[in-house]
């Protein structure tokens, strides 16, 4: 990173009940030996009884410490992975935020919702809602929940997750809270 050399910048791995989604972040447009890499990952994961859900190539040519670039290219399998949290199903793509420890995620979210105690008479704002996990869980008890998130792909996932879980009393907006909240207040 200091010298800006080489091809491989980062490796992002997500593991859920479904299997493993791998994203290789490179500094350029090429991912050498992409097919061989996919075959190798699949074979190694299968040895442990785990499936390779997908291999995604992300391109980040900028001289920055930001991990992901804006261009994604599916190499093998899917470009998303499914996760079940507290009885709900969530689609997760590489740019979407997700807690890494499943058991602690469920405990954390249950604690947050217990402290919040949403009521049907209330409207709630979930600022930086990610892919809508807490937003959708709160919507089970609240009158309406509005999620605001800066990452457009996460908002797309949140909308998908709401529809997939049959939750209609939610709205999602992409942008900064500093811009979106004043617009909603007006």
């Amino acid at each position: 990173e200091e010298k800006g050399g080489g091809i491989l910048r980062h490796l992002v791995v997500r593991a859920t009940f479904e299997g493993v989604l791998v994203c290789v972040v490179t500094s350029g447009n090429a991912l050498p030996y992409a097919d061989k890499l996919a075959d190798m990952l699949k074979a190694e994961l299968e040895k442990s009884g785990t499936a390779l859900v997908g291999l995604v190539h992300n391109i980040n040519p900028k001289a920055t410490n930001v991990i992901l670039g804006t261009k994604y290219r599916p190499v093998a399998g899917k470009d998303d992975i499914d996760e079940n949290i507290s009885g709900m199903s969530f689609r997760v793509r590489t740019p979407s935020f997700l807690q890494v420890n499943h058991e602690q995620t469920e405990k954390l979210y249950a604690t947050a919702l217990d402290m919040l105690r949403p009521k049907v008479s209330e409207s709630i704002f979930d600022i930086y809602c990610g892919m809508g996990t807490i937003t959708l869980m709160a919507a089970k008890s609240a009158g309406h929940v509005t999620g605001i998130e800066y990452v457009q792909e996460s908002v797309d996932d949140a909308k998908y997750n709401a529809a997939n879980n049959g939750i209609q009393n939610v709205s999602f907006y992409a942008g900064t809270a500093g811009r979106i909240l004043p617009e909603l207040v007006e």
Side-chain angles (χ1 to χ4, degrees):
E1 186 174 328
E2 291 175 8
K3 295 179 182 179
I7 297 170
L8 179 65
R9 292 192 63 167
H10 299 280
L11 187 65
V12 180
V13 180
R14 293 192 186 273
T16 70
F17 71 93
E18 186 181 12
V20 175
L21 176 66
V22 177
C23 178
V24 178
V25 183
T26 64
S27 58
N29 292 327
L31 178 58
Y33 309 106
D35 293 337
K36 285 185 179 184
L37 176 60
D39 291 342
M40 183 191 72
L41 286 169
K42 184 177 179 181
E44 288 299 315
L45 288 167
E46 284 177 354
K47 288 179 186 176
S48 65
T50 304
L52 175 65
V53 174
L55 173 61
V56 177
H57 176 208
N58 176 266
I59 302 156
N60 185 358
K62 295 182 180 177
T64 176
N65 65 352
V66 174
I67 293 173
L68 298 171
T70 58
K71 296 179 185 177
Y72 294 86
R73 184 177 61 88
V75 175
K78 302 187 326 175
D79 67 349
D80 62 58
I81 193 165
D82 295 323
E83 175 66 294
N84 290 324
I85 303 171
S86 301
M88 298 179 75
S89 177
F90 295 93
R91 175 180 77 180
V92 186
R93 290 185 290 169
T94 301
S96 294
F97 175 78
L98 178 66
Q99 299 286 343
V100 296
N101 184 312
H102 180 83
E103 289 180 28
Q104 291 304 316
T105 297
E106 290 198 341
K107 290 176 184 177
L108 174 68
Y109 292 175
T111 300
L113 291 168
D114 184 54
M115 293 175 76
L116 181 60
R117 293 192 178 108
K119 298 172 186 62
V120 174
S121 61
E122 295 177 329
S123 292
I124 297 172
F125 287 87
D126 184 359
I127 310 302
Y128 305 107
C129 67
M131 59 183 197
T133 48
I134 294 177
T135 313
L136 299 178
M137 291 177 189
K140 288 180 171 180
S141 304
H144 189 271
V145 183
T146 301
I148 300 172
E149 171 58 49
Y150 182 75
V151 178
Q152 180 64 56
E153 292 90 348
S154 293
V155 172
D156 296 342
D157 284 347
K159 289 176 181 179
Y160 173 90
N161 292 330
N164 190 45
N165 286 285
I167 297 177
Q168 298 177 349
N169 59 329
V170 293
S171 303
F172 293 99
Y173 297 89
T176 64
R179 181 181 66 80
I180 301 290
L181 276 175
E183 290 176 8
L184 294 175
V185 169
E186 285 182 23

